Amino acid sequence: MSLFDRRELDALQQDLERWQQETLAPTLKRMPERRSEFVSTSSRPVQRLYTPLDVADLDYRRDLGWPGEYPFTRGVHSTMYRGRLWTMRMFAGFGTAEETNARYKYLLQQGNMGLSVAFDMPTLYGYDTDAAEALGEFGKCGVAVSSLADMEILFDGIPLGEVSTSMTINSPAAILWAMYIVTAEKQGYRRDQLRGTIQNDILKEYIAQKEFLFPPEPSLRLVTDTIEFGCRELPQWNTISISGYHIREAGSTAVQELAFTLANGFTYVEAALARGLNIDDFAPRLSFFFNVHNDFFEEIAKFRAARRLWARAMRERYGAKDPRSWLLRTHAQTAGVSLTAQQPENNIVRVAIQALAAVLGGVQSLHTNSMDEALALPSEKAVTIALRTQQIIAHESGVTNTIDPLAGSYYVEKLTNEMEAEAERYFRRIEALGGVIPAIESGFFQREIADAAYRYQMEIDTGARTIVGVNDFVADEPIAIPILEMDPHGYERQVARLKRVRAERDNGAVQKALRELADYARSTENLMPPIIAAVKTYATLGEITDVFREVFGVYHEPVFF
């Protein structure tokens, strides 16, 4: 039932037309608007004014509901931040395990509420630090983890049964997760005590980030194996974080990020169902990871639409009965692609606006980027400012005092409805192509994102879109912020440790474990138990990944353009 009376809407339409003629028109004649068209960050046209006429069909119970109840538009918890703040989970990792361990302890001392691991490029691609393919890439974008020995040092002195840890890892996710599990067990914790998330979203790698290793089908099998294993052994662990972040970083619009991410989520649900899992056994542990870009209201609407879309699909399309299965729980990270190397202090302001949008959008966990990330890995000063940004929003801004304070805004509700409808249109296009994997193989996602990225860049290049400090308000001044310097001897220490591991372990046990892993990979059995067995022998990341490269093959993306 609509919130608005039809007679009142008709009267409002007449009054709107009167306002346009009597008040607006003279103003526009005297003072024309700055541009002929105003658009969002995603190049979506934005109207001059929003009124009840734009949400005339809004049904409160159907479209909004109550916080903590279906369809969760207003939030997944009934008290939201009045009961518990979002987790302030700062992403960190650089150089050696020792350096990153020190940064984790520093962040925990500063009030960080959960750990989040950034791995370096060789680790993300399943190579050991001393592999020829890894030359020159050690520790530049995250921490190097080549074996269980590195993972043990990474979390030395950090009680893994008492903290929640997120790991941004995809193709080798099962291997790094196994290393974490074994490390926690060696600390004395049971598997059912461990809390955290592995990103593990391989589909978005083919779509956007391109850190894939194996073909889509065996890669999807590995993801499904982790979901199944987590249901049995680690009930508090999120075995996948279905990620739109990297889709947005590649240049997508907000709606593309929303639609492509949820479509990937549906694919993982269907793979788990095909495995024979009960949806209410695994769906409550599915989590999401979204970007938060510069357009304040567009980002808020995106989160609200995402919760509603996911809840309806899980209940109505997949038949989930447990209300926890309907929840879209999400981590968010401010937009790395929005950071500028020019006038880096301006990034503090950008990040604050983006973080506020995430909070008003109702996220459960948040990372705020540091001002210096367009130049280097974050310094302690920069990362502390980024964390303090969240703390000021939480404790000083007042936005956590009430639940979903922007609900009922004509603009926000109209935008939420539009984004939901546009995402549904994308779902139909993907289904017509045969699903997510056929759409990947035909280049559909890649073309859509490339077109959006090109349009956005052209708007900057032509001056149609202003980026402060880049194409307007430019200042020719030297950078005056401290930049993190890496330990120049870190690579040598890492390689020396790797050599010691190979020399001191039982290499016969390693080879036996790797042969058994290969046998499992050729079967249909769950791969997590043999991966854990191999990790316990101190088989390295590269050695385990090479088994999968041999059995599954290596994927090479076709040329689409």
Side-chain angles (χ1 to χ4, degrees):
M1 179 176 136
S2 171
L3 291 174
F4 304 102
D5 181 86
R6 175 48 58 184
R7 288 173 298 179
E8 288 294 327
L9 290 171
D10 290 342
L12 184 62
Q13 178 64 47
Q14 294 178 3
D15 203 32
L16 173 63
E17 292 169 2
R18 178 204 58 76
W19 171 80
Q20 290 171 333
Q21 293 173 7
E22 296 180 6
T23 302
L24 177 62
T27 301
L28 290 175
K29 186 175 182 180
R30 184 179 72 256
M31 185 174 57
E33 292 179 334
R34 293 179 289 113
R35 298 191 295 274
S36 60
E37 184 182 45
F38 287 76
V39 298
S40 71
T41 297
S42 298
S43 301
R44 171 193 303 278
V46 179
Q47 296 172 201
R48 176 182 294 113
L49 182 71
Y50 290 82
T51 73
L53 295 167
D54 293 292
V55 288
D57 296 326
L58 187 72
D59 184 308
Y60 185 88
R61 292 182 180 86
R62 180 195 66 202
D63 300 325
L64 297 180
W66 305 104
E69 291 185 1
Y70 185 87
F72 305 101
T73 310
R74 303 204 65 186
V76 298
H77 300 304
S78 59
T79 59
M80 284 305 289
Y81 306 133
R82 288 171 64 104
R84 179 183 177 183
L85 293 174
W86 64 93
T87 300
M88 300 178 193
R89 188 187 300 278
M90 299 301 291
F91 192 40
F94 56 92
T96 63
E98 291 91 343
E99 292 173 282
T100 303
N101 176 265
R103 175 62 64 89
Y104 289 157
K105 290 175 179 175
Y106 171 80
L107 287 170
L108 291 169
Q109 290 168 358
Q110 301 305 312
N112 196 49
M113 298 156 66
L115 301 177
S116 185
V117 186
F119 295 100
D120 73 354
M121 195 62 69
T123 305
L124 293 171
Y125 276 98
Y127 291 115
D128 294 336
T129 297
D130 60 355
E133 296 88 345
L135 187 63
E137 293 296 333
F138 163 76
K140 288 186 175 179
C141 64
V143 62
V145 175
S146 296
S147 75
L148 177 60
D150 295 326
M151 188 69 78
E152 291 168 339
I153 293 169
L154 184 61
F155 292 105
D156 181 52
I158 299 173
L160 296 186
E162 300 172 29
V163 299
S164 171
T165 304
S166 174
M167 293 189 286
T168 300
I169 191 75
N170 293 289
S171 284
I175 305 168
L176 272 294
W177 189 36
M179 291 181 184
Y180 185 92
I181 293 168
V182 174
T183 298
E185 289 177 334
K186 294 182 76 171
Q187 288 186 359
Y189 295 105
R190 302 187 311 274
R191 293 175 182 177
D192 62 4
Q193 293 176 285
L194 304 183
R195 294 177 295 114
T197 303
I198 42 175
Q199 190 165 105
N200 205 21
D201 177 3
I202 198 60
L203 294 175
K204 67 94 172 57
E205 296 297 331
Y206 301 104
I207 290 172
Q209 188 165 241
K210 310 304 180 185
E211 290 170 5
F212 48 74
L213 298 181
F214 322 118
E217 292 294 347
S219 295
L220 186 57
R221 173 204 169 172
L222 274 168
V223 174
T224 310
D225 284 350
T226 59
I227 293 172
E228 182 181 43
F229 187 79
C231 286
R232 294 199 312 254
E233 301 282 342
L234 287 87
Q236 297 191 79
W237 197 276
N238 302 319
T239 47
I240 188 169
S241 177
I242 305 157
S243 175
Y245 185 86
H246 309 88
I247 292 171
R248 193 65 177 281
E249 291 289 287
S252 80
T253 66
V255 164
Q256 288 170 343
E257 178 194 4
L258 170 64
F260 299 170
T261 303
L262 295 192
N264 288 346
F266 300 151
T267 303
Y268 294 123
V269 167
E270 291 161 10
L273 291 173
R275 178 67 63 89
L277 300 180
N278 183 299
I279 192 165
D280 288 320
D281 288 339
F282 69 85
R285 301 316 306 176
L286 301 177
S287 68
F288 287 81
F289 174 26
F290 283 101
N291 197 295
V292 199
H293 215 293
N294 279 334
D295 196 289
F296 190 69
F297 294 106
E298 188 171 58
E299 296 306 307
I300 293 166
K302 179 183 71 182
F303 288 114
R304 299 172 88 249
R307 286 193 292 271
R308 194 156 72 199
L309 282 161
W310 185 254
R312 287 177 175 162
M314 295 303 286
R315 189 172 82 165
E316 298 168 17
R317 179 173 171 181
Y318 296 111
K321 300 294 191 293
D322 186 343
R324 296 180 308 141
S325 299
W326 308 335
L327 301 180
L328 184 146
R329 299 169 299 112
T330 188
H331 173 68
Q333 180 175 337
T334 56
V337 73
S338 74
L339 303 179
T340 64
Q342 301 93 328
Q343 303 177 31
E345 294 91 344
N346 292 344
N347 294 327
I348 298 173
V349 182
R350 293 185 177 100
V351 167
I353 293 169
Q354 294 164 7
L356 184 59
V359 171
L360 290 171
V363 305
Q364 283 63 66
S365 173
L366 178 62
H367 165 87
T368 33
N369 290 330
S370 299
M371 63 177 168
D372 54 0
E373 290 191 51
L375 300 164
L377 290 167
S379 68
E380 275 194 1
K381 180 178 179 63
V383 78
T384 302
I385 292 172
L387 178 57
R388 295 287 183 259
T389 300
Q390 294 199 49
Q391 292 165 339
I392 290 169
I393 291 171
H395 300 290
E396 298 185 29
S397 70
V399 299
T400 63
N401 291 343
T402 191
I403 301 165
D404 191 24
L406 291 181
S409 157
Y410 308 131
Y411 180 34
V412 169
E413 298 300 354
K414 172 71 168 177
L415 196 48
T416 301
N417 291 344
E418 286 180 346
M419 296 183 82
E420 179 181 21
E422 290 172 31
E424 291 280 12
R425 287 195 286 273
Y426 263 121
F427 296 156
R428 291 192 289 273
R429 292 176 67 186
I430 294 165
E431 186 175 357
L433 290 169
V436 166
I437 290 180
I440 288 170
E441 292 172 339
S442 70
F444 168 75
F445 298 109
Q446 297 89 323
R447 284 190 294 270
E448 289 289 306
I449 294 170
D451 288 345
Y454 177 77
R455 180 173 61 248
Y456 182 82
Q457 188 60 49
M458 287 300 295
E459 290 171 355
I460 295 172
D461 292 346
T462 60
R465 181 181 299 279
T466 296
I467 306 296
V468 174
V470 176
N471 66 349
D472 204 352
F473 311 105
V474 177
D476 185 12
E477 56 188 22
I479 294 171
I481 62 172
I483 299 298
L484 178 70
E485 294 185 5
M486 304 293 293
D487 180 355
H489 303 295
Y491 176 77
E492 287 79 5
R493 291 206 313 274
Q494 170 74 5
V495 171
R497 176 162 58 244
L498 189 51
K499 288 180 178 178
R500 283 197 305 274
V501 166
R502 293 186 184 125
E504 295 172 2
R505 67 190 184 180
D506 181 343
N507 281 293
V510 170
Q511 293 307 312
K512 181 175 182 292
L514 294 175
R515 287 194 298 271
E516 291 177 353
L517 177 61
D519 291 339
Y520 268 83
R522 295 185 184 96
S523 74
T524 58
E525 296 294 314
N526 191 296
L527 286 166
M528 280 305 301
I531 292 173
I532 290 173
V535 163
K536 286 181 176 179
T537 69
Y538 288 84
T540 69
L541 171 66
E543 290 168 335
I544 296 171
T545 307
D546 281 346
V547 170
F548 294 141
R549 288 188 176 102
E550 177 66 27
V551 175
F552 298 149
V554 175
Y555 183 70
H556 298 284
E557 185 175 42
V559 176
F560 299 114
F561 303 101

